[in-house]
Amino acid sequence: MTKNKITSVTSHVTGEGNRLSYTYSVIDVNTGTLVSDNNRKNLVVLDGIEANDEIIECIQKINRYVLEKLESE
């Protein structure tokens, strides 16, 4: 049995919408052995779809947080 472990997530805006690019490792849960690492995938979170409203709000909150930190430097 294996488990996927997210190792990084990047959010950026593209022509399609908010894109979440992420990397992950696959770990054998019985032995702790790293099966594979640096696996990459991405997905687009489209605006105007009710099911995406909550995640879009979360992305916006993270962006506001980072902007506040940047402006306070």
Side-chain angles (χ1 to χ4, degrees):
M1 177 186 230
T2 60
K3 177 176 178 126
N4 295 332
K5 176 73 175 173
I6 293 173
T7 56
S8 72
V9 177
T10 303
S11 171
H12 53 283
V13 178
T14 66
E16 298 90 9
N18 287 294
R19 182 177 299 230
L20 299 177
S21 301
Y22 57 97
T23 58
Y24 64 97
S25 295
V26 179
I27 303 165
D28 182 308
V29 296
N30 296 317
T31 64
T33 303
L34 188 62
V35 176
S36 66
D37 64 346
N38 205 29
N39 301 292
R40 299 172 186 266
K41 289 192 176 183
N42 60 71
L43 56 95
V44 176
V45 183
L46 296 171
D47 286 332
I49 297 175
E50 187 175 340
N52 292 344
D53 288 348
E54 184 178 357
I55 189 62
I56 288 172
E57 183 180 327
C58 291
I59 292 168
Q60 291 170 342
K61 284 181 180 181
I62 291 169
N63 288 340
R64 282 193 301 269
Y65 176 80
V66 172
L67 181 60
E68 288 172 7
K69 293 294 184 183
L70 178 63
E71 290 176 342
S72 69
E73 290 183 348

